Amino acid sequence: MTEPGIPNVRYPNRRVIPSHCSQHGGTPGFTNLVLRKIGHGRIELDPHAVGGCVIVLDEAAATELRNILTEWPG
């Protein structure tokens, strides 16, 4: 098992981040957020690691998300 966010040798374009689903509950780290680089400058976010509902970001959207995530926590 690899550390959260560290690429797995078998899946170099996939990262898993332990997270929490405020809609469905559970303990912190219970819901895994899976991120996959799917090509053509797109990233797929799978908030429950089951493929039931995925969010696809293009390069511009991913850049905006990065900017927000670096601004908000501080």
Side-chain angles (χ1 to χ4, degrees), residues 3-73:
E3 291 296 315
I6 303 297
N8 184 309
V9 175
R10 292 178 64 191
Y11 305 101
N13 292 330
R14 182 176 181 264
R15 306 291 192 278
V16 178
I17 300 172
S19 56
H20 174 75
C21 178
S22 61
Q23 180 69 28
H24 297 105
T27 58
F30 175 75
T31 302
N32 289 323
L33 173 61
V34 177
L35 295 90
R36 252 183 355 120
K37 185 167 60 169
I38 58 176
H40 305 295
R42 297 180 305 155
I43 297 171
E44 176 184 272
L45 289 81
D46 184 352
H48 287 281
V50 295
C53 178
V54 297
I55 300 161
V56 176
L57 303 175
D58 63 12
E59 189 173 347
T63 299
E64 183 63 23
L65 179 60
R66 180 203 60 205
N67 293 342
I68 291 167
L69 291 175
T70 56
E71 176 186 336
W72 282 1

